[in-house]
Amino acid sequence: MTEMAPRMLERGLAGIFRSRWGVATVLAVLVLAVVGIGRLFADDQSGRPPVGAGSPAPALSVNPDHEDSVISPSPPPAPTTSPGTALPEAVAYAFAGAWVDHENVSAKAWRARLVPNSTTALSKELTGTDPADVPASRVRGRPELVPIGEGLVDAVIETDSGRLTLRLVAPEGRWLVSEIDWDGP
Amino acid sequence: MSLPGTRRVALLVALVATLALLCCGGGVSTVLLGGLGSEDNTDAFSTLGCGQGGPIDPEGKLPRIAAYGVEQIRNAAIVINVGSDLRLPPRAWVIAVATAMQESRLTNLGDLGAANDHDSLGLFQQRPSAGWGTPAQVQDPAYASRKFYEKLLTVEGWEKMSLTQAAQRVQRSAYPNAYAKHETVATQIVNLLADGAANAVGDSLEMVCAAGWQIAASGWTNPVKSIIGSGFRTPSRPTHQGVDLIVGRHTPIRSAASGVVSVVKCDEDRRGRQSCDVDGFPGKGGCGWMVEIVHAGNVMTRYCHMVQRPSVAVGQQVAAGDVLGRVGSSGNSSGPHLHFEVHLNNDRTSRGAVDPVPFMQQQGAPLGGAQ
C-alpha cells in the first residue's frame, strides 16, 4: 500500500497535465478557490460595523442633487481685536516672556505674572505647577500666528530650547491665552 | 523520462505549487497573514472587542507599534495591567498611557544628569522630593503607575474631563495641554494591548462596547442616535464631504469628543444670504446653522443644519457629550438631519475630510444606533 499511493498520485497528476484541458481546469479551480477564500476573509475584515451599529445607507438621502456642506470653507479670518485691547501677538509675546522667566522666582510670583494674560481656566490649571518645570529660559523671535477660527488663534513662539505653542481665545473681545503646549528639541 | 517515481511526483507537486503561487500568490499570502493577525497589522487587534479579553501579559509576546520599541510597549502593558488590577475603568488606562508618552515616551527614565528636570524620574517623571516615593520606587513602572492612578482618583470628575485636563491635575506640568497630542496613539495602544478596551464604556468596569450616549474610553461618543442616511462621497454625491444622520427636529446634538469650538455661524447660501432661522431647501446651498470643533490630534468635527443658533461660542472648551445645538433643516436641506463631517490634520477643506462612519467606528463610538 505504501508504494501504491505515490504511484497513483503520479499517474493521476501526469494524466491531468498531459492534456491542455486538464491544465486549464486545474488553473481555473485554483483561481476560483483563492478568490472564494479571499472573499470569505475579506468580509470579516472590511471594517463592517458590529451588530447594532446601524446598517449603512438605507438610501434616505435628504437631497441627492445638491451638496449640503459648507460651500467654500474659507480660511479662518485674520484675528480681529476690540479697540483699546491688546493684539493677540502682543498678548502671546507677553505671556511667553513671563512663562520662560522661571528662575529665582516663587511659584506664586511666576503664576501672578501669567494671570493677566490667561483665561480663568488656564490660571486654575497652573495651580500647583512648579516653575522649575519650565524647560526654556529665553524667547527667540516674535510669535507666529496661525488662525484656527474667528476668535481662535494659535501663536507659535521659538525659545532657546524648543517651541512653545499658545492657543488664544477672545471670549469677551479681549485676547487671552487658554492653552499651553510645548515641543522639545 | 528516467526519473524515479518519487522524484516525478515531487516535480509535479512543485509545478502545481509554483503555478498556484504565480497566479494567486498575493491572495494566498493575504489570506494567510490577515487570518493570523500579522504584527504589522495593528488594526486587526483594535477591532477585536471591547476589552472583555483583558490586558495582555507584559511578560508575554508583545505586538509591535510604530515608533515604540519592545521595552516601551512592555511599559505600556504594565501601566494598563496596574490600572486593571486596581479596578479602574479603561478611560483611566488611556489617560495614564498618554501621560507616560508625554513624560517619558514610555521609557523608564533614570537620572539624565544636567538635562534632568530636577529629581524627576521614571515613566511618569515623578519627583521623590515632592513625595512620590524613593528614587528606586518611582523607577519601578508598576509602583509609578499605581501612584499615578491613586492621584488621578483624587481628582473630582476626572472621568468627564478632557484627557489633557485630567492628566494635568495629576502632573501639574508647566505646559498643561501637551498630553492631548498623545490621545490618538494612546487609544490605539490600549486597544492593541487590552483587546479593544478603548472601545468600551470609558467609566465602567463592565467592559461593554459604548453605545447610545455612552462615552468610549477613547473619549469619543455618538453625536446623535440616528439612522445613517446619505453617505460620504457616494457615487451619486461624489462631493458629499460628510454623512447625513437622519433624526427628528430639535434632537440635541452632542460634541463627539472634547475640544474647543472653532466656528459657530450661519453659513452663507449660494446667493450669499445668511438666513438660517428658516428651513432651507435643496439647492439653497450652505450648511445652515453650524458648529465646528477642533479636537486633540488635529481632528476637526463639523455639525450642520441646526434649527436655531447653536448654544456654544467660539473659543469655548467642550467635553464629549456636551450639547452644541439642536437638529434642524437650515441651509441646503429638505428635512431635519445632522450633516456630520470629520476632518484630519486641522484641514477644514474637503481635502481634510474623511468618511465619518469608519472613523467613528475606530473610536469605539459608531454612528447610527436608532434602528
Side-chain angles (χ1 to χ4, degrees), chain B residues 221-255:
Chain B
T221 189
N222 192 357
V224 284
K225 269 200 258 183
S226 67
I227 293 166
I228 301 177
S230 195
F232 176 78
R233 294 182 191 162
T234 56
S236 59
R237 301 176 71 184
T239 57
H240 190 226
Q241 307 299 348
V243 61
D244 287 341
L245 305 174
I246 315 294
V247 57
R249 195 185 295 270
H250 296 295
T251 305
I253 299 168
R254 291 161 198 273
S255 180

Short mmCIF file of all heavy atoms in Angstrom, two decimals, chain B residues 221-255:
data_model
loop_
_atom_site.label_atom_id
_atom_site.label_comp_id
_atom_site.label_asym_id
_atom_site.label_seq_id
_atom_site.Cartn_x
_atom_site.Cartn_y
_atom_site.Cartn_z
N THR B 221 -17.86 59.88 21.44
CA THR B 221 -19.25 59.46 21.60
C THR B 221 -20.03 59.82 20.34
O THR B 221 -19.61 60.65 19.54
CB THR B 221 -19.88 60.10 22.85
OG1 THR B 221 -21.15 59.52 23.09
CG2 THR B 221 -20.04 61.60 22.70
N ASN B 222 -21.19 59.18 20.19
CA ASN B 222 -22.06 59.38 19.05
C ASN B 222 -22.75 60.75 19.17
O ASN B 222 -23.35 61.03 20.20
CB ASN B 222 -23.11 58.25 19.08
CG ASN B 222 -23.91 58.13 17.82
OD1 ASN B 222 -23.76 58.93 16.89
ND2 ASN B 222 -24.77 57.14 17.77
N PRO B 223 -22.69 61.64 18.14
CA PRO B 223 -23.31 62.96 18.29
C PRO B 223 -24.83 62.93 18.37
O PRO B 223 -25.43 63.75 19.06
CB PRO B 223 -22.84 63.72 17.05
CG PRO B 223 -22.37 62.70 16.09
CD PRO B 223 -21.93 61.50 16.88
N VAL B 224 -25.47 62.02 17.65
CA VAL B 224 -26.93 61.81 17.75
C VAL B 224 -27.21 60.33 17.49
O VAL B 224 -26.53 59.70 16.70
CB VAL B 224 -27.75 62.61 16.70
CG1 VAL B 224 -27.85 64.07 17.07
CG2 VAL B 224 -27.21 62.42 15.30
N LYS B 225 -28.24 59.82 18.16
CA LYS B 225 -28.72 58.48 17.79
C LYS B 225 -29.57 58.67 16.55
O LYS B 225 -30.53 59.45 16.56
CB LYS B 225 -29.57 57.89 18.92
CG LYS B 225 -28.75 57.08 19.90
CD LYS B 225 -29.63 56.15 20.69
CE LYS B 225 -29.87 56.72 22.08
NZ LYS B 225 -30.66 55.84 22.93
N SER B 226 -29.24 58.01 15.46
CA SER B 226 -29.87 58.35 14.19
C SER B 226 -29.94 57.14 13.28
O SER B 226 -29.41 56.07 13.58
CB SER B 226 -29.03 59.42 13.49
OG SER B 226 -27.78 58.85 13.13
N ILE B 227 -30.59 57.36 12.14
CA ILE B 227 -30.48 56.42 11.02
C ILE B 227 -29.46 57.03 10.07
O ILE B 227 -29.52 58.23 9.78
CB ILE B 227 -31.84 56.25 10.32
CG1 ILE B 227 -32.82 55.55 11.27
CG2 ILE B 227 -31.68 55.50 9.01
CD1 ILE B 227 -34.26 55.64 10.81
N ILE B 228 -28.50 56.23 9.64
CA ILE B 228 -27.49 56.77 8.74
C ILE B 228 -28.08 56.89 7.34
O ILE B 228 -28.50 55.91 6.75
CB ILE B 228 -26.23 55.88 8.73
CG1 ILE B 228 -25.66 55.79 10.15
CG2 ILE B 228 -25.20 56.43 7.77
CD1 ILE B 228 -24.46 54.88 10.28
N GLY B 229 -28.12 58.12 6.84
CA GLY B 229 -28.66 58.37 5.51
C GLY B 229 -27.55 58.41 4.48
O GLY B 229 -26.69 57.55 4.45
N SER B 230 -27.57 59.46 3.67
CA SER B 230 -26.62 59.58 2.58
C SER B 230 -25.18 59.56 3.10
O SER B 230 -24.84 60.25 4.06
CB SER B 230 -26.90 60.89 1.86
OG SER B 230 -26.26 60.91 0.63
N GLY B 231 -24.36 58.75 2.48
CA GLY B 231 -23.01 58.52 2.97
C GLY B 231 -21.98 59.50 2.42
O GLY B 231 -22.30 60.45 1.71
N PHE B 232 -20.74 59.23 2.76
CA PHE B 232 -19.60 60.09 2.41
C PHE B 232 -19.16 59.79 0.97
O PHE B 232 -18.87 58.64 0.64
CB PHE B 232 -18.47 59.76 3.39
CG PHE B 232 -17.16 60.46 3.15
CD1 PHE B 232 -16.98 61.79 3.52
CD2 PHE B 232 -16.09 59.78 2.57
CE1 PHE B 232 -15.77 62.41 3.32
CE2 PHE B 232 -14.88 60.40 2.37
CZ PHE B 232 -14.71 61.73 2.75
N ARG B 233 -19.14 60.82 0.14
CA ARG B 233 -18.67 60.71 -1.26
C ARG B 233 -19.21 59.46 -1.95
O ARG B 233 -18.45 58.59 -2.37
CB ARG B 233 -17.14 60.71 -1.30
CG ARG B 233 -16.54 62.03 -0.84
CD ARG B 233 -15.03 62.03 -0.93
NE ARG B 233 -14.48 63.20 -0.24
CZ ARG B 233 -13.21 63.31 0.15
NH1 ARG B 233 -12.36 62.34 -0.10
NH2 ARG B 233 -12.79 64.41 0.76
N THR B 234 -20.53 59.36 -2.02
CA THR B 234 -21.14 58.23 -2.69
C THR B 234 -21.10 58.46 -4.21
O THR B 234 -20.87 59.59 -4.65
CB THR B 234 -22.61 58.09 -2.25
OG1 THR B 234 -23.27 59.32 -2.51
CG2 THR B 234 -22.70 57.78 -0.77
N PRO B 235 -21.33 57.41 -5.01
CA PRO B 235 -21.32 57.60 -6.47
C PRO B 235 -22.29 58.68 -6.92
O PRO B 235 -22.00 59.45 -7.84
CB PRO B 235 -21.74 56.22 -7.00
CG PRO B 235 -21.34 55.27 -5.94
CD PRO B 235 -21.49 56.01 -4.63
N SER B 236 -23.47 58.77 -6.26
CA SER B 236 -24.44 59.79 -6.68
C SER B 236 -24.11 61.16 -6.11
O SER B 236 -24.59 62.18 -6.61
CB SER B 236 -25.85 59.37 -6.28
OG SER B 236 -25.91 59.19 -4.88
N ARG B 237 -23.33 61.21 -5.04
CA ARG B 237 -22.95 62.50 -4.44
C ARG B 237 -21.46 62.49 -4.15
O ARG B 237 -21.04 62.46 -3.00
CB ARG B 237 -23.73 62.75 -3.15
CG ARG B 237 -25.22 62.76 -3.35
CD ARG B 237 -25.94 62.92 -2.01
NE ARG B 237 -25.78 64.26 -1.45
CZ ARG B 237 -26.25 64.61 -0.26
NH1 ARG B 237 -26.88 63.75 0.50
NH2 ARG B 237 -26.07 65.84 0.18
N PRO B 238 -20.64 62.52 -5.21
CA PRO B 238 -19.19 62.34 -5.02
C PRO B 238 -18.53 63.46 -4.21
O PRO B 238 -17.43 63.27 -3.71
CB PRO B 238 -18.65 62.29 -6.45
CG PRO B 238 -19.72 62.90 -7.29
CD PRO B 238 -21.02 62.65 -6.61
N THR B 239 -19.20 64.61 -4.10
CA THR B 239 -18.59 65.68 -3.32
C THR B 239 -19.28 65.87 -1.97
O THR B 239 -19.17 66.92 -1.33
CB THR B 239 -18.61 67.01 -4.09
OG1 THR B 239 -19.96 67.30 -4.43
CG2 THR B 239 -17.76 66.94 -5.34
N HIS B 240 -20.01 64.86 -1.52
CA HIS B 240 -20.65 64.93 -0.20
C HIS B 240 -19.58 64.63 0.85
O HIS B 240 -19.15 63.49 0.99
CB HIS B 240 -21.78 63.90 -0.12
CG HIS B 240 -22.66 64.05 1.08
ND1 HIS B 240 -23.05 62.99 1.85
CD2 HIS B 240 -23.20 65.14 1.64
CE1 HIS B 240 -23.81 63.42 2.84
NE2 HIS B 240 -23.92 64.73 2.74
N GLN B 241 -19.15 65.65 1.57
CA GLN B 241 -17.94 65.52 2.41
C GLN B 241 -18.23 65.03 3.82
O GLN B 241 -17.36 65.07 4.68
CB GLN B 241 -17.20 66.87 2.48
CG GLN B 241 -16.88 67.47 1.14
CD GLN B 241 -15.98 66.60 0.28
OE1 GLN B 241 -15.39 65.64 0.74
NE2 GLN B 241 -15.89 66.93 -1.00
N GLY B 242 -19.47 64.60 4.06
CA GLY B 242 -19.79 64.09 5.39
C GLY B 242 -20.84 63.00 5.28
O GLY B 242 -21.02 62.41 4.22
N VAL B 243 -21.52 62.76 6.38
CA VAL B 243 -22.57 61.75 6.37
C VAL B 243 -23.84 62.41 6.93
O VAL B 243 -23.76 63.26 7.83
CB VAL B 243 -22.15 60.51 7.20
CG1 VAL B 243 -21.89 60.86 8.65
CG2 VAL B 243 -23.16 59.39 7.11
N ASP B 244 -25.00 62.07 6.34
CA ASP B 244 -26.26 62.64 6.80
C ASP B 244 -26.89 61.71 7.82
O ASP B 244 -27.17 60.54 7.52
CB ASP B 244 -27.22 62.85 5.61
CG ASP B 244 -26.78 64.02 4.74
OD1 ASP B 244 -25.99 64.85 5.24
OD2 ASP B 244 -27.22 64.10 3.58
N LEU B 245 -27.10 62.22 9.03
CA LEU B 245 -27.68 61.43 10.10
C LEU B 245 -29.14 61.85 10.26
O LEU B 245 -29.43 63.00 10.63
CB LEU B 245 -26.89 61.63 11.40
CG LEU B 245 -25.39 61.34 11.27
CD1 LEU B 245 -24.65 61.70 12.55
CD2 LEU B 245 -25.15 59.88 10.90
N ILE B 246 -30.05 60.93 9.95
CA ILE B 246 -31.47 61.25 9.92
C ILE B 246 -32.03 61.12 11.33
O ILE B 246 -31.98 60.04 11.94
CB ILE B 246 -32.24 60.29 8.98
CG1 ILE B 246 -31.48 60.09 7.67
CG2 ILE B 246 -33.65 60.78 8.76
CD1 ILE B 246 -31.35 61.28 6.80
N VAL B 247 -32.60 62.24 11.82
CA VAL B 247 -33.06 62.27 13.21
C VAL B 247 -34.04 63.44 13.35
O VAL B 247 -33.99 64.39 12.57
CB VAL B 247 -31.84 62.41 14.16
CG1 VAL B 247 -31.03 63.64 13.84
CG2 VAL B 247 -32.23 62.39 15.62
N GLY B 248 -34.94 63.34 14.30
CA GLY B 248 -36.02 64.31 14.43
C GLY B 248 -35.56 65.71 14.79
O GLY B 248 -34.54 65.90 15.46
N ARG B 249 -36.33 66.70 14.33
CA ARG B 249 -36.07 68.10 14.63
C ARG B 249 -35.96 68.32 16.14
O ARG B 249 -36.65 67.66 16.91
CB ARG B 249 -37.24 68.94 14.07
CG ARG B 249 -36.99 70.42 13.97
CD ARG B 249 -38.25 71.13 13.52
NE ARG B 249 -38.66 70.76 12.17
CZ ARG B 249 -38.28 71.39 11.06
NH1 ARG B 249 -37.47 72.42 11.14
NH2 ARG B 249 -38.70 71.01 9.88
N HIS B 250 -35.11 69.22 16.55
CA HIS B 250 -34.90 69.62 17.96
C HIS B 250 -34.13 68.57 18.78
O HIS B 250 -33.91 68.78 19.97
CB HIS B 250 -36.21 69.96 18.67
CG HIS B 250 -36.90 71.15 18.08
ND1 HIS B 250 -36.37 72.40 18.12
CD2 HIS B 250 -38.07 71.25 17.41
CE1 HIS B 250 -37.18 73.24 17.50
NE2 HIS B 250 -38.23 72.58 17.06
N THR B 251 -33.75 67.45 18.19
CA THR B 251 -32.93 66.49 18.94
C THR B 251 -31.60 67.15 19.31
O THR B 251 -30.98 67.79 18.47
CB THR B 251 -32.64 65.24 18.08
OG1 THR B 251 -33.87 64.70 17.64
CG2 THR B 251 -31.87 64.19 18.87
N PRO B 252 -31.16 67.03 20.57
CA PRO B 252 -29.87 67.65 20.94
C PRO B 252 -28.71 66.99 20.17
O PRO B 252 -28.69 65.77 19.99
CB PRO B 252 -29.75 67.36 22.44
CG PRO B 252 -31.10 66.95 22.88
CD PRO B 252 -31.80 66.36 21.70
N ILE B 253 -27.79 67.83 19.73
CA ILE B 253 -26.58 67.34 19.05
C ILE B 253 -25.43 67.48 20.04
O ILE B 253 -25.22 68.54 20.63
CB ILE B 253 -26.28 68.20 17.80
CG1 ILE B 253 -27.44 68.12 16.81
CG2 ILE B 253 -24.97 67.76 17.15
CD1 ILE B 253 -27.35 69.15 15.70
N ARG B 254 -24.68 66.39 20.22
CA ARG B 254 -23.63 66.38 21.23
C ARG B 254 -22.25 66.39 20.59
O ARG B 254 -22.06 65.83 19.52
CB ARG B 254 -23.79 65.16 22.13
CG ARG B 254 -25.03 65.26 22.99
CD ARG B 254 -25.46 63.92 23.52
NE ARG B 254 -26.83 63.97 23.98
CZ ARG B 254 -27.21 64.33 25.21
NH1 ARG B 254 -26.32 64.67 26.11
NH2 ARG B 254 -28.48 64.34 25.54
N SER B 255 -21.32 67.01 21.28
CA SER B 255 -19.95 67.04 20.79
C SER B 255 -19.39 65.61 20.80
O SER B 255 -19.51 64.91 21.79
CB SER B 255 -19.10 67.95 21.68
OG SER B 255 -17.77 67.96 21.19
#
